């Protein structure tokens, strides 16, 4: 018998004024109490109020599910006389609930334990009577069951009231379960899309870091070429001087003054080779240190001014190419404890952002560090073209750029903002069109006590 047939039959049975009034009063009361509830709270309110209206010991709302042993019921709410009982999952096999799940109205006015001897739960509950209705979804599938049990025989008048209320609220429960399933599906899709976006964002951030490292490599190659070139030229001179000495020694007369001159030239060339190779080695050492730092977040202690000089020197080629100049105002001797790679990434991104977006003739960049107790105030400013208030409001957002297609990814300042947050710091921007940009970072608890 379908739930519609049951509802029609119960409506006919409740034609008497007393029965109709009782059903209507219970329906109004339960409808009012459940109208403001959703999800788990809806099922808890429903089973409690149904138990009170029907004057039965137990009312259970459960959803049908599948477990390893077969079809089962997972309770959504259980009212057990005076309070809620813990939720549980139990097999439907050999229980009256199995008939309900098959969309057959199941009623036992008494002797339900004898009718289903395999159902140990009925014994534990001391159940004597049982009535249940299926929760049928819009596609005709059983989504759950709504049942009432009592420890004594269920009278005819109570059965009629139970049929009416259970048939009405079983349909309401089915709608709630479908709504919950749609919400879960939507949340799963949102979580999947969010995860995909986070992965794409992480990929782009890594790409941005690699691009910055690529720029560092190009700039470092340019810087290293100069001392290497001088060393190569000096080494060629040494070869010429050695050849000349060899030729002089092969002759009968050797000019003492010429040997002295050649010795002096050789000494100068050796000094040039040594000094420039040391410079190249220093630059490569800086580059190696910065490259390792960029891919590491190990916390170390280091001298701030020296480290910032290394970072900015690595970008000297880009600075010179743009016709810009950079000044460092960092108190000497300051030692900080942090992940050096994070500071290198912040500095590199701010520097490249200024060169890309603030470009103007004779661009001046300035990096200033001040101390406030154990905190640092890091200020990077330029006298570039500046930005409007509208642009400034979006500058820290990922993928926002005014130079799309011209080298801007929209991630540079966002990465700076993210790193500052990870350092528990604060970032502020100040700018006006034509007046440059000032980026202030307040970074707490980084200074190492002297």
């Amino acid at each position: 018998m379908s739930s519609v047939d049951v509802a029609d039959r119960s409506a006919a049975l409740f034609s008497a004024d007393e029965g109709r009034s009782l059903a209507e009063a219970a329906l109004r009361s339960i409808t009012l109490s459940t109208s403001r509830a959703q999800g788990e709270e809806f099922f808890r309110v429903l089973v409690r109020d149904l138990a009170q209206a029907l004057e039965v010991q137990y009312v259970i709302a459960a959803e049908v599910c599948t477990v390893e042993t077969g079809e089962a019921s997972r309770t959504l709410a259980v009212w057990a006389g005076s309070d809620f009982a813990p939720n549980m999952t139990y097999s439907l096999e050999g229980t009256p609930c199995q008939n309900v799940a098959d969309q057959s109205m199941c009623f036992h006015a008494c002797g339900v334990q004898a009718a289903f001897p395999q159902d140990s739960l009925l014994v534990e509950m001391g159940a004597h009577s049982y009535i249940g209705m299926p929760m049928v979804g819009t596609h005709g599938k059983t989504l759950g069951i709504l049942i009432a049990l009592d420890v004594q025989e269920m009278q005819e008048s109570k059965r009629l009231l139970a049929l009416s209320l259970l048939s009405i609220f079983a349909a309401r429960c089915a709608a709630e379960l479908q709504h919950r399933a749609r919400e879960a599906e939507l949340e799963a899709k949102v979580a999947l899309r969010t995860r995909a976006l986070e992965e794409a964002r992480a990929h782009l951030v890594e790409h941005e870091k690699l691009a910055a490292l690529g720029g560092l490599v190009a700039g470092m190659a340019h810087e290293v070429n100069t001392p290497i070139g001088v060393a190569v030229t000096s080494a060629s001179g040494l070869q010429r001087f050695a050849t000349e000495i060899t030729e002089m020694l092969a002759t009968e007369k050797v000019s003492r003054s010429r040997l002295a001159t050649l010795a002096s030239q050789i000494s100068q060339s050796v000094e040039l080779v040594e000094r420039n190779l040391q410079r190249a080695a220093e630059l490569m050492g800086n580059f190696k240190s910065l490259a390792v730092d960029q891919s590491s977040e190990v916390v170390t202690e280091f001298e701030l001014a020296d480290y910032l000089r290394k970072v900015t020197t690595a970008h000297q080629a880009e600075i010179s190419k743009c016709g810009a100049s950079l000044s460092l105002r960092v108190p000497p001797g300051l030692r900080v404890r942090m992940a050096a790679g994070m500071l290198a990434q912040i500095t590199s991104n701010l520097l490249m952002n200024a060169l890309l977006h603030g470009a103007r003739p004779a661009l001046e960049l300035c990096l200033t560090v001040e101390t406030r107790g154990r905190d640092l105030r890091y200020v990077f400013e330029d006298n570039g073209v500046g930005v409007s208030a509208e642009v400034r409001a979006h500058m820290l957002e990922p993928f926002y750029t005014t130079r799309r297609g011209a080298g801007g990814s929209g991630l540079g300042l966002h990465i700076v903002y993210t790193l500052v947050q990870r350092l528990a710091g604060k970032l502020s921007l100040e700018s006006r069109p034509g007046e440059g940009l000032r980026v202030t970072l307040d970074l707490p608890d980084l200074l190492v006590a002297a």
Side-chain angles (χ1 to χ4, degrees):
M1 181 183 298
S2 70
S3 57
V4 176
D5 295 335
V6 171
D8 292 341
R9 180 182 175 188
S10 29
L13 290 171
F14 267 103
S15 56
D17 291 343
E18 182 180 355
R20 184 183 296 110
S21 298
L22 183 62
E24 289 177 352
L27 180 60
R28 281 196 301 270
S29 174
I30 299 174
T31 300
L32 180 63
S33 62
T34 58
S35 63
R36 295 182 294 271
Q38 290 182 337
E40 180 183 354
E41 183 62 20
F42 164 78
F43 292 106
R44 289 172 65 87
V45 172
L46 177 64
V47 297
R48 182 198 64 196
D49 290 4
L50 277 175
Q52 293 174 355
L54 297 174
E55 297 180 342
V56 296
Q57 187 76 8
Y58 301 98
V59 173
I60 300 174
E63 59 181 338
V64 175
C65 61
T66 302
V67 295
E68 293 182 359
T69 56
E71 197 173 36
S73 178
R74 181 166 51 234
T75 62
L76 301 164
V78 179
W79 181 260
S82 59
D83 202 355
F84 296 101
N87 282 321
M88 56 187 165
T89 300
Y90 61 94
S91 173
L92 291 178
E93 185 176 358
T95 71
C97 296
Q98 186 175 30
N99 296 336
V100 180
D102 291 337
Q103 299 189 14
S104 300
M105 190 278 293
C106 187
F107 172 69
H108 293 271
C110 60
V112 67
Q113 291 185 36
F116 297 90
Q118 298 179 13
D119 192 344
S120 59
L121 187 60
L122 293 175
V123 178
E124 293 178 16
M125 298 170 72
H128 190 56
S129 56
Y130 176 103
I131 186 168
M133 293 290 292
M135 304 175 189
V136 183
T138 53
H139 298 295
K141 181 182 178 181
T142 301
L143 304 178
I145 55 177
L146 185 61
I147 58 177
L149 304 96
D150 205 5
V151 294
Q152 57 189 0
E153 182 178 351
M154 190 173 294
Q155 301 299 320
E156 181 68 12
S157 59
K158 186 180 293 186
R159 180 180 77 88
L160 297 176
L161 180 60
L163 283 174
S164 290
L165 295 181
L166 292 183
S167 63
I168 292 170
F169 287 103
R172 173 70 175 84
C173 287
E176 186 67 29
L177 285 176
Q178 286 184 309
H179 175 69
R180 193 170 72 166
R182 284 192 294 269
E183 280 192 336
E185 182 181 1
L186 181 60
E187 287 177 2
K189 288 182 178 179
V190 170
L192 183 63
R193 295 288 177 85
T194 301
R195 188 162 56 251
L197 286 173
E198 282 299 317
E199 289 175 356
R201 176 184 170 278
H203 176 75
L204 286 170
V205 168
E206 287 303 313
H207 177 76
E208 181 77 7
K209 289 182 179 180
L210 289 174
L213 190 58
L216 197 63
V217 170
M220 187 59 65
H222 182 275
E223 288 295 303
V224 170
N225 275 340
T226 300
I228 292 293
V230 173
V232 169
T233 302
S234 299
S236 299
L238 285 172
Q239 181 64 44
R240 291 196 308 272
F241 301 149
T243 300
E244 186 174 346
I245 290 176
T246 301
E247 291 174 351
M248 286 179 62
L249 292 175
T251 63
E252 294 182 359
K253 292 184 179 182
V254 178
S255 171
R256 190 179 186 87
S257 62
R258 181 56 184 161
L259 281 177
T261 301
L262 288 172
S264 175
Q265 290 174 330
I266 288 172
S267 177
Q268 292 174 10
S269 295
V270 168
E271 184 182 351
L272 278 174
V273 170
E274 183 180 22
R275 185 169 63 248
N276 282 278
L277 287 180
Q278 286 179 346
R279 175 59 178 160
E282 179 185 349
L283 288 170
M284 292 305 297
N286 288 347
F287 170 70
K288 181 180 178 181
S289 174
L290 294 174
V292 171
D293 288 345
Q294 292 257 358
S295 59
S296 172
E297 293 189 3
V298 176
V299 174
T300 59
E301 181 181 322
F302 55 92
E303 206 273 327
L304 184 61
D306 179 61
Y307 188 76
L308 288 175
R309 274 194 297 271
K310 291 179 180 179
V311 175
T312 54
T313 298
H315 291 283
Q316 190 57 49
E318 291 97 329
I319 296 172
S320 300
K321 182 180 177 181
C322 294
S325 61
L326 171 67
S327 59
L328 288 178
R329 299 173 183 172
V330 186
L334 285 182
R335 298 190 66 80
V336 296
R337 183 170 180 79
M338 64 179 299
M342 296 175 75
L343 181 62
Q345 189 74 47
I346 288 171
T347 304
S348 295
N349 282 20
L350 290 176
L351 195 154
M352 297 308 296
N353 182 76
L355 294 177
L356 179 63
H357 298 282
R360 72 185 320 173
L363 179 67
E364 295 178 4
L365 313 174
C366 182
L367 198 170
T368 304
V369 173
E370 301 171 354
T371 61
R372 300 188 175 190
R374 288 174 51 86
D375 301 345
L376 292 179
R377 168 159 284 189
Y378 173 114
V379 181
F380 192 97
E381 55 190 327
D382 63 68
N383 65 342
V385 297
V387 297
S388 65
E390 181 182 358
V391 171
R392 189 174 68 249
H394 298 283
M395 285 176 66
L396 301 180
E397 297 175 4
F399 311 115
Y400 179 82
T401 179
T402 58
R403 296 292 299 275
R404 185 79 62 192
S409 67
L411 286 172
L413 283 180
H414 175 68
I415 291 174
V416 172
Y417 177 66
T418 301
L419 293 175
V420 170
Q421 284 189 315
R422 290 174 58 187
L423 290 168
K426 295 181 180 179
L427 183 154
S428 61
L429 300 171
E430 300 173 50
S431 181
R432 291 181 181 178
E435 297 183 10
L437 175 68
R438 178 187 176 96
V439 183
T440 302
L441 313 180
D442 289 305
L443 306 174
D445 201 29
L446 296 182
L447 190 63
V448 176

